[in-house]
Amino acid sequence: MRALKIAGAIIAAVIVVIALLLVIGIPSGYLKAEIQERIERETGYKLAINGGAKIGLWPQLNIRLNDVTLQDPKDRDINHRFTASSIEADVTLASLWAGRPQITELVIIRPVVNLPLKRERVREANPPSKPAGGKAADAFSIEHVSVTGGTIVFSNLRDRVENRIETVNADITIDADRKVTLTGSARSGGHPLKVEAKAALPAAPLERQNIPAEIKIDAPGLLHAQLMAKAEARLNGSVVMINGVTGALGDGAFNGWASVDLSSKPLVKLDLDFQKLTVAMSRSTDSSSGQPWSNATIDVNGLNYVDLQARISAAELKIGDARFTPAAIDATLASGILKTQVSNLGAYDGNANGDLTVDVSTANPIYAMRADLTGVRALPLLDGLADFDRIDGRMQAKISVRSSGTSQRAIMSNMAGTAFVVFQDGAIKGLNVAQMIRSLTASTLSGWQASDEKATDLSQLSASFKIDKGQAQTTDLNLVGPLVKMTGVGTVDLGTKQIGFRVEPKLVMTTEGQGRVSDPVGLGIPVMLEGPWGSPRIYPEMQGILDNPEGAYAKLREMGKGLFGPNGAGLGAAIGNLLGGGQQGAAGGQGTAPGSGQTGGKPNDPLGGQLGETIGNLIQGLGGLGQNQPQGGARPGGQRSLTPTSPAEAPTQVAPAEPATPAPPSDTTAQQDSQPMNEVLRQLFNR
């Protein structure tokens, strides 16, 4: 009887212990060595379970590993290929008895995956052996995987490069028919990323079998629209072949193929044909303002860690707001050198050819670009690419430039090369160049005096530039239009957005010259353009006036023809007003009221009245230069005076319909001095 009681107590104690083990779990430190040995034997990686392991038996077999690390003993650059705060798996007991564990739930908390970035592609001395049939894959199955708070780190410790995909959350389900559904989210470079994927796995082994798959990616900030694609993937050793690719990027459908070799440094090959391909481009709001170029680092170092062979074609290519039809781009990337080439690119009724090379193999990236544009409509191209809508016409350009740097400012400041551009049969929008030149007779201009209502028709605008260290110099600036012509020389500082130009403007004095062959009248005074290229100061060059005051005044007077009434009559009235009173007319004795701009009771030419007054103001301002000199002072050679005007040229007489051509001045003919004009010259030029 006593023995029966002892046996009953032992059985009760065993039941209590089993119950506690089912609830609390079995301490399984003694199993760690077996698990680590199995992992190393199957994969070659060393597994460390730093936080211990625990096995529970209720309501089903539960295995939990804490603080797990996985290390490749051959990799000295990365300490741990994989770490996780915890890994927990639920396994059915029945599948254990059958010898084929069925994992119903696998939960991975805060995993970190470290992937090395390699600069060079190398062949592995001992390539991994192929799996022996499908026995290993059939040894277990997984129904559901959950990943929370994961991180993927791409790094190269020698180059001190590290990029991360963070807050990775994923949910993967595999049904009885081997159909895999994945949904996930993450953040890359501060941009959100969402992925949905589906695939149908064939029976093991997966090697050399087609795997139908489809994927959907939303990546605002990285892709301008949602990417959807379907394809058939096939594993061939370390190469993933992706055939029969079809899909759409936004509203642009595409098809083609791709492959990725993952044996060492990734090698990507692809050939895609788009119906419409859109490349988003941020619009600069400070390109024409006084804001400097950005000093923010342009990070293109990632091009060192992938090789590429690609051909992209599109029936329509949209870059920013610019459209090109058709387009074909060939690109190769090897050892950190990217080369792209376009040929016969359809560009607004013209075509473009060119290439771009980016060398990031050194610490200071090098850029080289060559472009050849022919017959392109300038306005939509420049507006779409650079938000510049001031020039219209047929554009031809040849550009060959080279630079280096890690920021916008550095690249623009280091620019070197040559450029030639010509615009024909168009217009300068928002600017009236002839009006600006006339305004210079009154005051200095600040800025381009832009207005939506203004325009300057042009037959041709051309210039060639030699660029060195960001300084673009030209000696052949040439503008030809129906009412204005201009030549000039100058420099554009690309790094600081400053310009310095000296131009020689000429005007066709009447609208009768528009469209006809005529000799334009020069201002006679060079005009300077200096300062920020968005708002420069525009003013006559004073040195040009002082070097040849007689010639400057003669040119100003010659400009009066057609601008100030017939034969410059309005100019005489304006100067008469300047001297303080009207001049008596030859006929009728009518005087000119100061500032009235009228002669003999008839209004002046609409262009002449205001412009004559402004030129008078200019002469009055320049006259102050000589007020400190003795009034009677004269230079050797005697006092010079202007040729008197004929009665037909008198400012107070109505001009005839066909004025007679004034007689040319003669040194041998006695001339009667014009005392008011002489007084102006004394004050202006001290003569």
Side-chain angles (χ1 to χ4, degrees):
M1 191 69 179
R2 185 177 180 181
L4 185 59
K5 288 182 179 181
I6 293 174
I10 293 174
I11 293 173
V14 170
I15 293 175
V16 171
V17 171
I18 293 175
L20 291 174
L21 291 177
L22 290 175
V23 175
I24 299 173
I26 303 174
S28 52
Y30 65 93
L31 295 177
K32 289 170 56 177
E34 179 65 24
I35 296 174
Q36 292 167 346
E37 182 182 350
R38 179 70 178 269
I39 294 294
E40 186 173 357
R41 183 171 65 248
E42 295 289 340
T43 66
Y45 288 86
K46 289 185 176 182
L47 176 68
I49 306 173
N50 303 311
K54 185 172 66 174
I55 299 176
L57 300 175
W58 185 264
Q60 59 183 344
L61 180 62
N62 177 273
I63 303 173
R64 181 183 178 92
L65 307 177
N66 296 312
D67 192 6
V68 178
T69 62
L70 198 63
Q71 182 181 5
D72 183 358
K74 299 178 181 179
D75 194 342
R76 297 181 180 180
D77 292 335
I78 298 179
N79 294 330
H80 303 107
R81 281 294 185 90
F82 174 86
T83 65
S85 177
S86 66
I87 301 176
E88 186 174 352
D90 292 336
V91 184
T92 61
L93 293 174
S95 65
L96 286 177
W97 307 139
R100 295 183 66 254
Q102 182 180 1
I103 302 174
T104 59
E105 188 79 20
L106 179 63
V107 179
I108 306 174
I109 306 297
R110 292 192 295 276
V112 178
V113 179
N114 290 278
L115 300 177
L117 296 174
K118 299 181 179 180
R119 274 184 171 266
E120 301 296 334
R121 303 192 73 246
V122 295
R123 293 183 177 275
E124 296 186 11
N126 298 314
S129 59
K130 297 182 180 179
K135 295 182 180 180
D138 287 337
F140 67 93
S141 62
I142 302 176
E143 294 182 1
H144 183 257
V145 179
S146 175
V147 178
T148 304
T151 302
I152 302 175
V153 181
F154 303 91
S155 63
N156 185 303
L157 296 181
R158 297 177 182 177
D159 294 346
R160 298 181 180 179
V161 172
E162 181 178 288
N163 296 305
R164 290 173 171 256
I165 300 177
E166 299 178 313
T167 62
V168 177
N169 299 302
D171 188 89
I172 306 170
T173 59
I174 306 173
D175 62 18
D177 296 329
R178 294 178 176 271
K179 293 182 178 180
V180 180
T181 301
L182 178 149
T183 60
S185 64
R187 296 190 67 85
S188 177
H191 301 290
L193 175 66
K194 292 184 179 180
V195 178
E196 296 180 14
K198 296 180 180 179
L201 299 178
L206 300 180
E207 184 89 8
R208 299 181 184 276
Q209 293 198 66
N210 288 336
I211 305 174
E214 57 184 85
I215 190 170
K216 182 187 298 183
I217 300 176
D218 287 301
L222 301 176
L223 298 175
H224 76 278
Q226 185 183 74
L227 172 65
M228 296 185 296
K230 295 182 179 180
E232 288 189 347
R234 173 180 291 193
L235 301 178
N236 184 6
S238 60
V239 179
V240 181
M241 303 294 298
I242 307 173
N243 299 313
V245 177
T246 60
L249 179 59
D251 58 353
F254 64 88
N255 61 78
W257 62 268
S259 70
V260 183
D261 185 350
L262 300 172
S263 58
S264 58
K265 179 182 180 180
L267 170 61
V268 179
K269 298 180 180 180
L270 59 87
D271 189 334
L272 298 177
D273 181 28
F274 289 81
Q275 292 181 359
K276 179 191 294 184
L277 176 60
T278 300
V279 179
M281 187 175 66
S282 60
R283 303 299 294 267
S284 176
T285 59
D286 61 353
S287 59
S288 61
S289 68
Q291 297 298 322
W293 296 109
S294 172
N295 271 327
T297 300
I298 301 175
D299 187 5
V300 291
N301 198 42
L303 298 177
N304 281 303
Y305 308 108
V306 63
D307 288 345
L308 173 71
Q309 298 174 12
R311 179 175 177 81
I312 305 294
S313 57
E316 178 182 347
L317 172 63
K318 184 178 179 182
I319 303 177
D321 290 335
R323 288 179 170 83
F324 305 92
T325 56
I329 304 172
D330 293 294
T332 61
L333 173 60
S335 300
I337 301 176
L338 172 65
K339 297 180 179 180
T340 61
Q341 182 176 7
V342 296
S343 57
N344 297 322
L345 182 68
Y348 296 103
D349 301 334
N351 65 79
N353 299 276
D355 54 66
L356 172 67
T357 300
V358 181
D359 185 353
V360 299
S361 60
T362 61
N364 197 30
I366 299 172
Y367 304 86
M369 183 184 72
R370 181 192 62 83
D372 189 350
L373 287 76
T374 305
V376 177
R377 290 170 51 208
L379 182 61
L381 178 67
L382 297 178
D383 187 25
L385 289 179
D387 199 17
F388 182 78
D389 59 356
R390 293 301 185 186
I391 297 183
D392 195 9
R394 292 291 176 182
M395 175 184 177
Q396 180 177 347
K398 292 181 180 295
I399 302 171
S400 179
V401 293
R402 182 182 180 89
S403 187
S404 61
T406 58
S407 67
Q408 286 183 355
R409 182 178 298 182
I411 293 172
M412 299 304 292
S413 298
N414 294 328
M415 191 80 70
T418 59
F420 169 77
V421 62
V422 57
F423 303 91
Q424 293 179 319
D425 302 327
I428 301 177
K429 302 288 187 179
L431 301 179
N432 188 324
V433 177
Q435 187 180 72
M436 292 171 62
I437 295 172
R438 296 185 185 109
S439 299
L440 288 174
T441 61
S443 63
T444 296
L445 301 182
S446 178
W448 294 108
Q449 312 299 305
S451 172
D452 293 339
E453 293 77 19
K454 298 178 181 179
T456 300
D457 293 336
L458 59 87
S459 301
Q460 178 173 306
L461 172 61
S462 63
S464 62
F465 293 89
K466 183 177 181 180
I467 310 170
D468 184 37
K469 296 180 180 179
Q471 304 291 314
Q473 297 182 342
T474 180
T475 58
D476 58 1
L477 175 66
N478 187 32
L479 185 152
V480 180
L483 292 177
V484 62
K485 294 184 179 181
M486 185 184 299
T487 59
V489 299
T491 300
V492 179
D493 191 328
L494 301 176
T496 61
K497 297 185 178 182
Q498 301 282 317
I499 63 172
F501 274 82
R502 185 179 189 270
V503 299
E504 296 280 353
K506 295 183 179 181
L507 297 177
V508 175
M509 290 297 101
T510 67
T511 56
E512 294 180 359
Q514 187 169 356
R516 302 181 183 181
V517 177
S518 60
D519 294 328
V521 176
L523 180 61
I525 305 170
V527 174
M528 307 301 294
L529 294 84
E530 294 181 347
W533 64 30
S535 181
R537 290 181 64 246
I538 306 173
Y539 59 92
E541 185 190 40
M542 293 302 298
Q543 188 62 39
I545 298 175
L546 299 178
D547 287 347
N548 185 12
E550 295 161 323
Y553 179 78
K555 287 294 184 180
L556 288 174
R557 184 174 183 277
E558 188 176 2
M559 286 180 66
K561 298 177 180 179
L563 288 176
F564 314 125
N567 297 321
L571 178 62
I575 295 178
N577 295 334
L578 171 66
L579 296 177
Q583 295 180 356
Q584 297 297 326
Q590 297 290 334
T592 313
S596 66
Q598 295 183 0
T599 304
K602 181 178 179 179
N604 287 337
D605 183 87
L607 290 175
Q610 184 177 4
L611 185 55
E613 188 173 344
T614 58
I615 288 188
N617 294 336
L618 174 66
I619 295 176
Q620 185 181 31
L622 295 178
L625 297 175
Q627 290 180 358
N628 295 329
Q629 301 294 333
Q631 294 294 324
R635 295 184 180 182
Q639 187 182 61
R640 300 183 183 180
S641 61
L642 295 178
T643 302
T645 57
S646 64
E649 295 173 326
T652 58
Q653 183 172 346
V654 177
E658 295 182 358
T661 304
S666 174
D667 293 338
T668 61
T669 304
Q671 303 290 343
Q672 182 179 357
D673 286 350
S674 174
Q675 295 304 324
M677 286 294 110
N678 291 340
E679 185 65 24
V680 171
L681 286 178
R682 290 191 194 98
Q683 296 183 14
L684 179 60
F685 305 122
N686 193 25
R687 298 191 176 191

